Amino acid sequence: MKYFYTSISDPSQGLPHFVGVGYVDGQVFVHYDSHSQRAKPRVSWMEKVGKEDPQYWDSQTQIARGAEETFRRNLEILRNRYNQSEGFHIIQLMFGCELRKDGSKGEFMQYGYEGRTFITFDKETRTWVAPVPQAQITQRKWDALPAQNQYFKSYLEKECIEWLQKHLSYGKETLLRTEPPAVTVRGKTELEDGMETHICRLDGFYPREIDASWTRDGEVWKEETFSGFLAPNADGTYHYWLSIRIDPKERGRYRCHVEHDSLQEPLDLALEEPKSNLGIIIGCVVAVLVLVGVIAGILVFLMRRRDDYRAYRLTGPPVMLKAPG
């Protein structure tokens, strides 16, 4: 579960000054911005929270409004601290927690300014880490508030995890489902050097975490390999791809290896021989010959029609004899 707070100093094209968004497993479940001034659910299963706690959305709205005002002031403070002029500036906060497969937990909280890390909370020592000189003033002030830092540690380790478990129970039909990836492998030959490029595509899988790699003789192989970004589909599933460039003589040694929660066993897809261009070339030649034949036939037909028309003009139609009387 992650929360992102973003505040900008100079909104343009109707953008709000402040936006707060919550995610569970990459799915937006709550949203607030300075235009609506209201925290709202973004998934149907979050309506259960409001039924169990009628004050939930009011309290979330008040928290978001307080964060909005704080971020406005912080923007001005950091602009002066960096000795910057007025204009577009951005401050962000990211915090949250995670439950891993092995039962372990993870927590994080950090601020960013102008797209770079400004200050990070270390929950083990309950202190703040300042990677830039401008953050050292903030570090000293916040480290002088041990009760506040203890609250952050407690929230991340306990309350955040408890809410994550609640959300998983509310949205289990969506969040805990599994969708297996549709995996295809396609190859092509590069005419310049005779090497082959093969692409392994994975589509429609959920949850997001997936382990896909190229293997050679059963071992992970990274040489001459590339991969795309793991990205969402419109239906909430994900897609991904990875490619490899190989010598066609060694094609049989490679596999696209895929592991995912939806699969009972890992998949190992062999590389197929790229389709030859010869068939395509022959098909094109045949199509051209057929087209030429059709055009020739049409020309012959038109020439005959022209000759018939000339004969008609010279002789005229046959004379029809009238019946007597």
Side-chain angles (χ1 to χ4, degrees):
M1 182 172 69
K2 299 179 181 180
Y3 285 92
F4 291 91
Y5 290 171
T6 301
S7 184
I8 56 179
S9 58
D10 186 19
S12 61
Q13 299 180 353
L15 294 176
H17 276 281
F18 179 85
V19 176
V21 183
Y23 293 84
V24 173
D25 288 350
Q27 185 176 104
V28 178
F29 70 93
V30 62
H31 179 274
Y32 170 92
D33 63 56
S34 52
H35 286 172
S36 67
Q37 287 284 298
R38 184 75 186 170
K40 300 178 181 180
R42 280 298 181 91
V43 286
S44 59
W45 50 263
M46 276 299 291
E47 296 175 1
K48 300 177 184 178
V49 181
K51 292 180 180 179
E52 292 186 4
D53 181 5
Q55 303 301 317
Y56 176 81
W57 292 109
D58 287 337
S59 63
Q60 292 300 304
T61 296
Q62 292 304 315
I63 292 173
R65 288 179 179 176
E68 178 183 348
E69 291 303 316
T70 300
F71 271 56
R72 283 177 182 266
R73 293 194 298 269
N74 287 341
L75 268 174
E76 187 66 19
I77 292 172
L78 291 183
R79 185 178 68 82
N80 292 329
R81 190 174 297 176
Y82 278 83
N83 195 26
Q84 295 172 322
S85 60
E86 294 184 356
F88 183 88
H89 303 288
I90 181 171
I91 185 174
Q92 296 170 292
L93 166 63
M94 178 180 70
F95 65 96
C97 54
E98 60 183 17
L99 282 171
R100 305 187 183 101
K101 293 180 182 179
D102 60 3
S104 62
K105 304 172 184 178
E107 304 85 14
F108 50 90
M109 177 180 289
Q110 65 181 49
Y111 285 82
Y113 184 64
E114 309 290 47
R116 298 181 179 180
T117 300
F118 178 74
I119 195 167
T120 303
F121 182 62
D122 183 344
K123 71 178 185 65
E124 300 301 330
T125 61
R126 287 170 291 177
T127 58
W128 292 88
V129 179
V132 293
Q134 292 84 351
Q136 292 176 1
I137 298 175
T138 303
Q139 177 189 25
R140 290 192 292 269
K141 288 183 176 180
W142 289 358
D143 283 347
L145 302 172
Q148 177 177 278
N149 291 346
Q150 177 59 43
Y151 166 76
F152 289 148
K153 176 181 173 65
S154 177
Y155 169 81
L156 293 173
E157 292 182 340
K158 296 179 181 179
E159 186 175 345
C160 182
I161 294 295
E162 291 173 358
W163 272 109
L164 173 55
Q165 292 172 328
K166 285 184 181 180
H167 292 327
L168 291 176
S169 65
Y170 293 142
K172 58 185 177 182
E173 294 181 358
T174 300
L175 299 173
L176 299 182
R177 78 186 194 280
T178 58
E179 299 286 347
V183 186
T184 57
V185 178
R186 294 287 184 270
K188 67 176 182 178
T189 302
E190 299 178 11
L191 300 179
E192 294 82 3
D193 54 10
M195 298 289 282
E196 290 179 354
T197 296
H198 293 262
I199 299 177
C200 184
R201 299 184 185 277
L202 305 89
D203 193 30
F205 57 89
Y206 188 91
R208 183 179 185 274
E209 291 71 22
I210 194 166
D211 183 5
S213 61
W214 291 106
T215 62
R216 172 172 162 163
D217 300 332
E219 301 293 332
V220 175
W221 187 259
K222 296 184 178 181
E223 185 176 335
E224 292 284 354
T225 62
F226 304 91
S227 59
F229 291 103
L230 200 161
N233 296 317
D235 61 359
T237 60
Y238 294 86
H239 65 269
Y240 182 64
W241 65 265
L242 58 160
S243 69
I244 189 171
R245 190 170 182 270
I246 65 166
D247 185 336
K249 296 178 182 179
E250 299 185 339
R251 187 186 308 122
R253 303 176 65 183
Y254 296 90
R255 297 288 187 275
C256 179
H257 181 81
V258 181
E259 296 183 23
H260 189 256
D261 286 347
S262 62
L263 302 173
Q264 294 182 353
E265 296 181 355
L267 294 178
D268 284 287
L269 277 73
L271 307 188
E272 298 181 358
E273 183 176 356
K275 294 181 179 180
S276 174
N277 293 331
L278 181 59
I280 299 176
I281 295 174
I282 293 176
C284 292
V285 172
V286 171
V288 171
L289 292 176
V290 171
L291 180 60
V292 170
V294 170
I295 294 175
I298 293 174
L299 291 175
V300 171
F301 174 77
L302 292 175
M303 291 178 68
R304 289 181 176 176
R305 292 284 297 181
R306 183 191 62 182
D307 293 341
D308 292 342
Y309 177 67
R310 287 178 177 176
Y312 172 82
R313 289 174 59 194
L314 293 173
T315 61
V319 177
M320 299 298 295
L321 298 176
K322 294 182 179 180

